[in-house]
Amino acid sequence: MDEHTGKANPARLIIEKFLNMGDYSYDKKLPEGYNTWSKESISELLSGLWITDGCISCNKGKQVPYVSYGCVSRTLVEQIADCIEKWLGIPSPKIKENNTSRKRTLYSITYGKCSDVIAILEFLKLYGVKENTRKNMLSMAYNAQNKEGVMS
C-alpha cells in the first residue's frame, strides 16, 4: 500500500501477478502465455534476464565468444532455451547442472557456435557495460565466422 494514497501500487500489482514476486529463486518461471508474446516482447524479456544472470564472454586464448545463461530455476532456464529455439531457430543446448559449491544446483545453457552467438547477440537489447561487451563479442563472433569460412 502506498502510504500517501492508501492504495496498492499498480506497478507492484503487475509484478506480483506476472513476475513471480515472492517466489523463491528456484521457483522462478516466465509468466503464463509468454509463448504467445511478440518477438519484440520476448527480446525485451530475455534482455532483462541476460543483464542480470547472463554471460557474454570469450574463452581465454580464443577469439571465439559464447553466450550463456544460468540460474537455480531449471524451469526458467528451459523456458529461455525454448524462447531462443522458437524465435531464433537455434536448437536448445543440453542444460548443465553445477552443484559443487552451492546450496542449490545452478542450471545453465551455453551457446558457442558463431552463427548462434551472432543471432542471440543481435536479438538481445542490453544496456551499460553489458551493451559494450555485446558489441565487442558480436564483432569478435563475426570475425571468427569469417575465419571459419576462409578455412572451409
Side-chain angles (χ1 to χ4, degrees):
M1 290 283 198
D2 183 290
E3 62 186 60
H4 302 289
T5 65
K7 296 180 181 176
N9 180 326
R12 183 182 175 105
L13 294 174
I14 290 169
I15 291 169
E16 287 174 345
K17 181 176 181 181
F18 295 109
L19 298 179
N20 314 110
M21 188 170 179
D23 287 353
Y24 290 105
S25 57
Y26 53 85
D27 288 331
K28 297 288 183 185
K29 59 187 177 297
L30 298 181
E32 285 186 35
Y34 74 90
N35 55 352
T36 64
W37 293 1
S38 70
K39 188 173 185 176
E40 179 71 20
S41 295
I42 293 296
S43 172
E44 293 288 338
L45 175 70
L46 294 185
S47 296
L49 291 169
W50 232 276
I51 286 171
T52 56
D53 292 326
C55 175
I56 303 168
S57 191
C58 184
N59 290 323
K60 289 182 183 178
K62 295 187 178 183
Q63 296 297 309
V64 181
Y66 65 89
V67 292
S68 63
Y69 182 85
C71 70
V72 295
S73 170
R74 183 178 184 99
T75 299
L76 183 57
V77 172
E78 289 169 346
Q79 290 173 322
I80 289 169
D82 288 345
C83 285
I84 290 172
E85 186 164 1
K86 177 181 178 180
W87 290 109
L88 301 178
I90 300 170
S92 298
K94 182 177 186 227
I95 295 175
K96 296 178 187 163
E97 298 181 13
N98 180 344
N99 56 7
T100 56
S101 63
R102 299 179 149 263
K103 208 180 213 186
R104 301 229 175 256
T105 300
L106 176 70
Y107 301 97
S108 64
I109 48 175
T110 301
Y111 299 87
K113 184 178 171 188
C114 285
S115 58
D116 295 347
V117 171
I118 290 168
I120 292 167
L121 291 179
E122 287 179 341
F123 187 66
L124 297 175
K125 296 170 178 67
L126 305 178
Y127 309 95
V129 173
K130 282 220 177 169
E131 174 57 12
N132 291 333
T133 302
R134 184 193 75 81
K135 287 178 182 175
N136 292 337
M137 293 299 130
L138 187 56
S139 174
M140 196 178 288
Y142 275 119
N143 289 337
Q145 187 177 45
N146 290 337
K147 285 180 186 175
E148 285 176 1
V150 170
M151 291 180 194
S152 301

